[in-house]
Amino acid sequence: MSGGITWRWICDVWGCFSDPSMGQLKRIVGTMDRYVYEDILENTMRPWAKANLSRPWVFQQDNDPKHTSSHVANWFRRRRVDLLEWPSQSPDLNPIEHMWKELERRLKGVRASNANQKFAQLEAAWKSVPMTVVQTLLDLMPGCY
């Protein structure tokens, strides 16, 4: 998946990765809506992509209503970000879903006393995932690249 990004937020965390590098995790405070998502795209994903990916690259997201809203679609058009066409109900095909399972395995049995500590644990586990794991997850995507 050369030059592609995949993302996912779970509970209060959003993250993205591609074959050259892991993006940063972003903690979500409050409810993620289209405005919070746009802020993450603009201030987290886009700077990371500009710094780590060469053009062309493709962004992959699921079809959650906040991701497909006209507000967010307009952001993608203005920023000239290409989106990967993606079936609406395909969690087993989405590499980020498998990445969250990898993080769950790495943190199994690790306790946190509060949300800040849990986020720090997630960040550390995220940063420790070898790129070979990322490449394996991306290679599992059927016929995308």
Side-chain angles (χ1 to χ4, degrees):
M1 181 174 179
S2 180
I5 303 174
T6 188
W7 79 273
R8 166 76 163 127
W9 72 279
I10 187 165
C11 299
D12 61 351
V13 178
W14 179 96
C16 67
F17 62 85
S18 73
D19 58 345
S21 70
M22 298 293 284
Q24 73 180 79
L25 288 185
K26 175 77 174 162
R27 185 167 174 196
I28 309 302
V29 177
T31 302
M32 180 172 324
D33 61 15
R34 64 186 178 219
Y35 303 107
V36 171
Y37 186 52
E38 178 189 36
D39 181 70
I40 290 169
L41 293 171
E42 182 68 29
N43 298 305
T44 303
M45 183 279 288
R46 190 167 178 241
W48 173 79
K50 282 183 156 188
N52 293 283
L53 303 176
S54 59
R55 280 288 195 178
W57 53 267
V58 176
F59 187 78
Q60 186 244 331
Q61 62 182 0
D62 64 24
N63 290 314
D64 184 287
K66 69 182 137 291
H67 308 150
T68 59
S69 70
S70 59
H71 180 83
V72 171
N74 190 34
W75 182 91
F76 283 114
R77 273 191 301 282
R78 287 190 324 266
R79 299 298 185 267
R80 295 187 175 116
V81 174
D82 294 326
L83 292 171
L84 179 65
E85 298 267 339
W86 201 248
S88 58
Q89 299 294 325
S90 59
D92 56 328
L93 300 177
N94 192 338
I96 198 73
E97 298 297 337
H98 299 289
M99 180 62 77
W100 293 128
K101 290 190 184 335
E102 175 72 21
L103 292 178
E104 286 175 19
R105 281 191 295 276
R106 289 170 180 261
L107 294 174
K108 187 174 182 175
V110 177
R111 294 180 182 256
S113 58
N114 58 51
N116 291 334
Q117 188 178 48
K118 179 50 86 179
F119 183 71
Q121 292 168 350
L122 281 168
E123 265 189 319
W126 179 264
K127 291 175 184 176
S128 74
V129 173
M131 289 310 297
T132 54
V133 171
V134 171
Q135 191 58 56
T136 299
L137 294 177
L138 295 175
D139 288 345
L140 294 173
M141 290 181 66
C144 292
Y145 293 92

